Amino acid sequence: MGLRLKFNLILCLVTCIGLLLAGYFGDLLLKKNAREQVLQTAQIMMESAIAVRNYTVSEVRPLLAVQQRRQFIPQTVPAYAASKYIAKLQETHPDYSYKEATLNPTNPQNRAAAWEEDIISYFRSHRDENTFVGERDTPAGRSLFFSRPIEIKKPGCLACHSRAADAPQTLIDTYGSANGFGWKLNEIVGAQVVSVPMELPFEHARSAFQTFMGALIGIFFLIIILLNILLHFFVIKPVRLMSAKAEEVSMGALDVEELPVKGNDEISSLAHSFNRMQRSLGSAVKMLDETMD
């Protein structure tokens, strides 16, 4: 097995190990960044929904307070305003969603699905947690959800949700008296849930990973070529020349031209030693011939 083959086998082994490690950690990093991007989008959607809720309570509801006594106006309900806001987003991004999932909602559209009930149960059993993040499979692909608990902290909320007898008549006329009542102060009745698709960011991550690995393989391939060129000119070629000279000297050709010496590295030092050995051997043979004569 030649020196070049041994060198390339070791180099290929090291390259394969390096590519595997780079691919493993690169894939982890890109997927982590993609998930953080999705989570950041979900957090922005949640903050936007909360901002719309606060605006509805502080700006819209007071303006419509008088009309609300004669007719129920859903635009004064924070959950309705936030849902309508996200509905506009869904016109161009249908896979994005926001819902104020409730176990016993006034509006049946807000009734929690089975997986949303699990989120509410989580908040009820972990009252010190303010957020809950997870992933689930949807018909459109993998989706990340970001949720916050809906907790009754203000007694004013119970005016419409404690007992049907105490609720505004306009509310009863709109939704009936069967649902949305029996809520208690400091009770977690539901969860704000934002869902963001993960497929597109992960597709970008896969594309970036393929580009990264392609560039890395190309760089390693170029390095292997350059190292082989350097190996040929600085190691293999001088060694072959010395091997040929050694073959000639071993056959008795002591007057052959000495090896050219360039540089000050180990190969040059070996060439110096070979030339010195050749001169010493030639002098020894010459002395032996003179003695015999």
Side-chain angles (χ1 to χ4, degrees):
M1 185 181 294
L3 180 62
R4 188 195 302 273
L5 180 58
K6 292 180 180 179
F7 175 81
N8 281 309
L9 285 176
I10 295 173
L11 189 59
C12 287
L13 177 62
V14 173
T15 299
C16 289
I17 294 174
L19 288 174
L20 287 174
L21 291 175
Y24 175 75
F25 289 107
D27 183 59
L28 285 181
L29 180 61
L30 289 171
K31 286 182 178 178
K32 179 183 177 183
N33 290 340
R35 192 178 190 277
E36 289 178 353
Q37 178 185 347
V38 175
L39 179 58
Q40 184 179 22
T41 302
Q43 290 173 331
I44 292 174
M45 286 183 61
M46 179 67 75
E47 295 299 329
S48 299
I50 292 173
V52 171
R53 285 176 57 91
N54 294 336
Y55 172 78
T56 301
V57 172
S58 62
E59 301 288 341
V60 177
R61 181 176 288 179
L63 293 176
L64 301 176
V66 177
Q67 294 90 328
Q68 182 81 351
R69 296 172 186 172
R70 298 191 301 266
Q71 178 185 2
F72 179 76
I73 302 175
Q75 287 78 7
T76 61
V77 179
Y80 176 89
S83 298
K84 285 296 182 179
Y85 164 75
I86 299 298
K88 286 294 182 181
L89 175 66
Q90 289 179 310
E91 291 178 1
T92 54
H93 299 82
D95 296 332
Y96 291 67
S97 67
Y98 169 81
K99 182 179 178 181
E100 298 198 9
T102 312
L103 295 176
N104 181 24
T106 301
N107 188 341
Q109 293 181 354
N110 294 330
R111 187 171 300 280
W115 68 274
E116 294 167 335
E117 291 179 1
D118 294 337
I119 296 175
I120 299 170
S121 298
Y122 173 84
F123 283 124
R124 285 186 165 185
S125 58
H126 300 80
R127 298 189 66 89
D128 56 333
E129 296 289 339
N130 295 321
T131 61
F132 179 45
V133 179
E135 299 177 15
R136 69 186 189 93
D137 292 318
T138 68
R142 196 75 174 164
S143 178
L144 179 142
F145 64 82
F146 178 79
S147 59
R148 292 180 182 271
I150 299 177
E151 184 176 356
I152 307 302
K153 295 183 179 181
K154 297 180 180 180
C157 297
L158 298 178
C160 297
H161 296 287
S162 59
R163 297 190 311 162
D166 299 330
Q169 187 60 41
T170 54
L171 178 67
I172 300 298
D173 294 340
T174 302
Y175 293 110
S177 59
N179 299 307
F181 301 104
W183 294 9
K184 299 178 181 179
L185 192 64
N186 298 321
E187 180 187 11
I188 295 177
V189 297
Q192 295 173 277
V193 184
V194 165
S195 295
V196 179
M198 303 180 67
E199 185 59 30
L200 183 59
F202 272 75
E203 180 62 32
H204 291 165
R206 284 191 291 269
S207 178
F209 176 75
Q210 292 172 358
T211 302
F212 168 73
M213 290 303 297
L216 197 60
I217 292 173
I219 291 172
F220 271 111
F221 185 71
L222 180 61
I223 290 174
I224 290 174
I225 293 176
L226 291 176
L227 287 177
N228 271 273
I229 293 174
L230 293 175
L231 178 68
H232 174 77
F233 284 102
F234 291 98
V235 178
I236 294 179
K237 186 176 179 180
V239 168
R240 284 178 176 175
L241 183 58
M242 281 187 279
S243 176
K245 291 289 184 182
E247 182 72 17
E248 292 181 26
V249 172
S250 67
M251 298 299 293
L254 301 176
D255 56 348
V256 295
E257 184 179 355
E258 293 186 356
L259 291 170
V261 179
K262 297 179 181 179
N264 195 28
D265 54 15
E266 288 78 2
I267 297 295
S268 300
S269 178
L270 180 60
H272 275 295
S273 299
F274 184 87
N275 290 335
R276 187 167 55 252
M277 180 194 69
Q278 181 182 347
R279 290 193 298 269
S280 299
L281 185 59
S283 298
V285 171
K286 184 178 180 181
M287 291 175 61
L288 181 60
D289 290 340
E290 292 176 353
T291 302
M292 292 179 63
D293 291 341

